[in-house]
């Protein structure tokens, strides 16, 4: 694997790289020019990576091909088992920005299909990617790693969902920094009735309005007035003082409040109000720490599943050449048997029962001929298997078995 990702390359550098379908087809053709027949390009917002199989060491040539498209950004190189391990982990979402997210699996499937259309997905690479996809699906089905987020903003939204349906509700967000913006992005997907932003800097609030036209902007001094009509409040400012004071809140209906600020934005005495449910940073951080422990266990469990699939894959590679040689032998013997049967039926005047006995006898001969080679080849070490495979190819691989 050669490529770059958000894990080792700044996003401003990564964003300079754009691989169109035409670019990727060009890369596939250039790889075929240097006798690399099996490759898959995985191009997403967070990574630009190429996976390929090669009997020879063409790393420098591949680097030369990619540098033109990668804007001379230093490439990360992984080989052999490290490359397999990485691909399976990437496909399973273990290297995603949001651990365990689902989008990467679909992107890997699309990359595999595009490679196939370009004629670069042969038997071995197809096996690797199919196994990686199957492994990822098992991890998502069994581990549920994405259910344990670390982002406090996302934890807050998830906790709100435990207490109230967010659909058709009204929300007020105070602040326009990173935490407030993250909370806004999560709420946008909840089909709410309305989302209002109050911020000391109207210019910053208007920037959010440009990005999310459906939100409403109100003057910061109107925050209590807006709050009185809302079901949800999220406050995330850098103010050294309280933004929401107890004696200024009039709550005639249930209001769910989330304080994402340090020092706190919302007066903790509001917890005593029967209409107020308040989550503060201490509450959310406790959940985050619990999630972190669960995520570590999820990662360990995911790695166990990946290792299981990789061992099966490595075993498949070890037996593949033997299986191909045995298939070659089987095809050769079967052709001899079929031709012998055809000659005997033509020369002898056989009835249906005699024809059946002849076919059965020849089939038993076929099985007996294969039994000893199968037993020997399956139990040889890898070096001897390679030698025997070459011998079988030389003995049986070049003869036109139709001319007997």
């Amino acid at each position: 694997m050669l490529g770059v990702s958000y894990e080792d390359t700044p996003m401003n550098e990564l964003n300079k790289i754009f691989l169109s379908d035409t670019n990727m087809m060009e890369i596939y053709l250039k790889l075929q020019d240097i006798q690399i027949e099996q490759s898959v390009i995985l191009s997403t917002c967070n990574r630009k990576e190429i996976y390929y199989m090669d009997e020879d060491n063409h790393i420098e040539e591949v680097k030369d091909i990619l540098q033109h498209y990668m804007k001379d950004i230093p490439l990360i190189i992984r080989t052999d088992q490290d490359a397999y391990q990485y691909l399976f982990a990437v496909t399973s979402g273990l290297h995603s920005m949001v651990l365990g997210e689902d989008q990467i699996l679909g992107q890997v499937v699309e990359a595999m299909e595009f490679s196939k259309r370009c004629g670069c997905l042969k038997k071995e690479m197809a096996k690797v990617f199919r196994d990686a996809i199957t492994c990822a699906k098992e991890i998502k089905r069994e581990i549920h790693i994405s259910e344990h987020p670390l982002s406090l903003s996302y934890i807050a939204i998830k906790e709100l969902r435990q207490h109230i349906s967010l659909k058709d509700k009204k929300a007020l967000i105070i602040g326009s920094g990173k935490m407030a913006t993250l909370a806004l992005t999560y709420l946008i997907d909840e089909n709410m009735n309305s989302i209002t932003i109050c911020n000391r800097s109207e210019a910053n609030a208007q920037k959010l309005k440009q990005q999310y036209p459906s939100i409403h902007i109100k003057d910061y001094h109107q925050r209590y007035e807006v709050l009185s009509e809302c079901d949800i409040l999220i406050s995330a400012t850098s103010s050294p003082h309280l933004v929401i004071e107890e004696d200024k809140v009039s709550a005639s209906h249930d209001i769910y409040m989330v304080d994402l600020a340090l020092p706190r934005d919302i007066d903790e005495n509001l917890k005593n109000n029967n209409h107020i449910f308040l989550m503060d940073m201490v509450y959310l951080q406790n959940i985050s720490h619990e999630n972190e422990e669960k995520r570590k266990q999820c990662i360990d469990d995911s790695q166990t599943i990946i290792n299981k699939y990789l061992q099966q894959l490595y075993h498949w590679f070890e037996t593949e050449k033997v299986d191909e040689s045995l298939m070659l032998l089987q095809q050769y013997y079967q052709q001899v048997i079929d031709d012998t049967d055809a000659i005997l039926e033509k020369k002898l005047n056989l009835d249906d029962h005699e024809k059946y006995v002849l076919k059965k006898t020849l089939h038993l001969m076929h099985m007996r001929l294969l039994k000893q080679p199968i037993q020997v080849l399956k139990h040889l070490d890898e070096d001897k298997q390679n030698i025997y495979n070459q011998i079988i190819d030389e003995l049986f691989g070049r003869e036109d078995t139709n001319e007997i």
Side-chain angles (χ1 to χ4, degrees):
M1 188 287 298
L2 281 80
V4 295
S5 78
Y6 79 95
E7 293 177 292
D8 43 67
T9 303
M11 286 302 296
N12 62 326
E13 292 293 309
L14 195 59
N15 289 337
K16 295 178 182 178
I17 304 172
F18 175 73
L19 294 180
S20 65
D21 288 355
T22 302
N23 294 149
M24 290 191 285
M25 285 189 285
E26 289 173 354
I27 294 172
Y28 281 129
L29 288 172
K30 291 177 181 179
L31 291 172
Q32 290 174 323
D33 286 342
I34 59 173
Q35 282 72 55
I36 293 177
E37 301 295 333
Q38 303 198 64
S39 56
V40 175
I41 300 169
L42 179 58
S43 177
T44 74
C45 294
N46 294 329
R47 63 187 69 252
K48 313 289 178 185
E49 298 168 342
I50 179 167
Y51 300 82
Y52 71 92
M53 287 182 163
D54 184 19
E55 292 290 339
D56 302 311
N57 188 348
H58 282 117
I59 289 179
E60 291 304 317
E61 292 104 310
V62 176
K63 282 174 64 177
D64 290 341
I65 290 171
L66 294 183
Q67 288 296 359
H68 170 71
Y69 301 92
M70 299 293 193
K71 309 299 181 184
D72 293 321
I73 297 173
L75 302 177
I76 298 297
I77 301 173
R78 302 176 191 274
T79 61
D80 302 323
Q81 292 190 7
D82 183 33
Y84 289 115
Q85 179 78 238
Y86 180 71
L87 170 62
F88 276 61
V90 165
T91 307
S92 301
L94 300 186
H95 286 279
S96 297
M97 276 188 172
V98 178
L99 193 67
E101 57 96 3
D102 295 326
Q103 189 177 12
I104 185 63
L105 179 57
Q107 292 168 333
V108 171
V109 172
E110 289 174 5
M112 177 182 170
E113 291 299 322
F114 191 82
S115 170
K116 183 179 180 180
R117 292 196 296 273
C118 292
C120 295
L121 194 75
K122 304 293 192 296
K123 177 182 176 182
E124 291 81 9
M125 188 64 101
K127 168 68 174 175
V128 172
F129 270 76
R130 280 198 301 268
D131 282 6
I133 291 165
T134 303
C135 175
K137 289 179 178 178
E138 180 172 333
I139 287 173
K140 292 181 185 302
R141 184 174 63 251
E142 301 295 334
I143 307 300
H144 307 293
I145 195 168
S146 59
E147 293 183 4
H148 308 293
L150 291 181
S151 162
L152 294 181
S153 295
Y154 187 74
I155 290 172
I157 304 304
K158 187 176 179 182
E159 283 296 300
L160 284 173
R161 288 200 215 104
Q162 302 296 320
H163 298 278
I164 184 175
S165 170
L166 301 182
K167 184 179 179 182
D168 296 327
K169 297 299 189 295
K170 296 181 179 181
L172 166 63
I173 298 177
I174 303 177
S176 61
K178 183 177 180 180
M179 295 281 270
T181 302
L182 268 176
L184 172 60
T185 59
Y186 296 135
L187 287 180
I188 287 290
D189 295 328
E190 297 292 340
N191 295 317
M192 304 193 73
N193 181 301
S194 66
I195 302 174
T196 302
I197 302 291
C198 285
N199 192 57
R200 280 193 171 90
S201 169
E202 186 177 347
N204 289 341
Q206 290 298 335
K207 288 179 182 178
L208 289 177
K209 175 74 172 176
Q210 291 175 3
Q211 190 173 357
Y212 303 101
S214 64
I215 66 175
H216 306 284
I217 305 298
K218 291 289 185 178
D219 186 272
Y220 177 75
H221 299 293
Q222 295 178 281
R223 63 191 184 279
Y224 288 108
E225 178 185 338
V226 176
L227 177 60
S228 67
E229 299 177 356
C230 285
D231 308 289
I232 295 162
L233 165 67
I234 297 176
S235 190
T237 77
S238 56
S239 171
H241 310 295
L242 290 176
V243 170
I244 299 295
E245 299 176 26
E246 180 192 16
D247 59 358
K248 295 181 181 178
V249 174
S250 175
S252 58
H253 64 285
D254 291 343
I255 302 177
Y256 293 81
M257 298 185 176
V258 179
D259 192 340
L260 294 174
L262 282 176
R264 64 175 65 247
D265 274 351
I266 302 174
D267 193 334
E268 61 181 331
N269 291 321
L270 281 166
K271 290 180 179 179
N272 300 322
N273 189 314
N274 292 332
H275 286 295
I276 304 296
F277 174 80
L278 175 60
M279 290 186 283
D280 57 17
M281 288 289 274
V282 174
Y283 177 90
L284 296 172
Q285 284 173 341
N286 286 337
I287 297 175
S288 179
H289 292 322
E290 292 173 8
N291 283 358
E292 189 168 11
E293 292 304 314
K294 291 177 183 176
R295 281 158 66 96
K296 288 177 182 177
Q297 185 60 52
C298 285
I299 292 172
D300 290 342
D301 293 343
S302 298
Q303 194 58 58
T304 299
I305 294 176
I306 288 174
N307 290 340
K308 177 188 72 174
Y309 275 86
L310 287 175
Q311 290 307 311
Q312 293 172 354
L313 179 64
Y314 299 151
H315 178 72
W316 182 84
F317 278 124
E318 290 172 1
T319 59
E320 179 200 12
K321 290 183 180 179
V322 175
D323 290 341
E324 287 180 352
S325 296
L326 290 174
M327 187 179 296
L328 188 61
L329 270 178
Q330 187 173 17
Q331 290 172 346
Y332 181 84
Y333 287 159
Q334 187 64 53
Q335 186 66 56
V336 172
I337 294 296
D338 290 344
D339 290 342
T340 302
D341 180 51
I343 291 171
L344 291 175
E345 286 191 16
K346 185 176 182 181
K347 295 293 184 182
L348 303 174
N349 186 20
L350 304 177
D351 59 29
D352 289 344
H353 177 69
E354 289 170 332
K355 289 179 181 179
Y356 171 78
V357 172
L358 175 62
K359 288 183 183 294
K360 192 74 172 176
T361 302
L362 291 173
H363 176 71
L364 291 173
M365 289 174 59
H366 181 199
M367 299 303 294
R368 186 175 177 184
L369 283 168
L370 280 175
K371 183 177 179 181
Q372 182 69 10
I374 288 174
Q375 290 179 338
V376 172
L377 279 169
K378 288 289 188 181
H379 293 90
L380 291 175
D381 61 42
E382 186 176 351
D383 291 338
K384 286 187 178 179
Q385 282 181 356
N386 289 335
I387 294 172
Y388 276 64
N389 288 332
Q390 291 174 6
I391 293 172
I392 291 172
D393 288 343
E394 288 293 325
L395 289 175
F396 302 104
R398 297 178 182 177
E399 184 176 30
D400 185 350
T401 54
N402 290 317
E403 296 181 1
I404 296 179

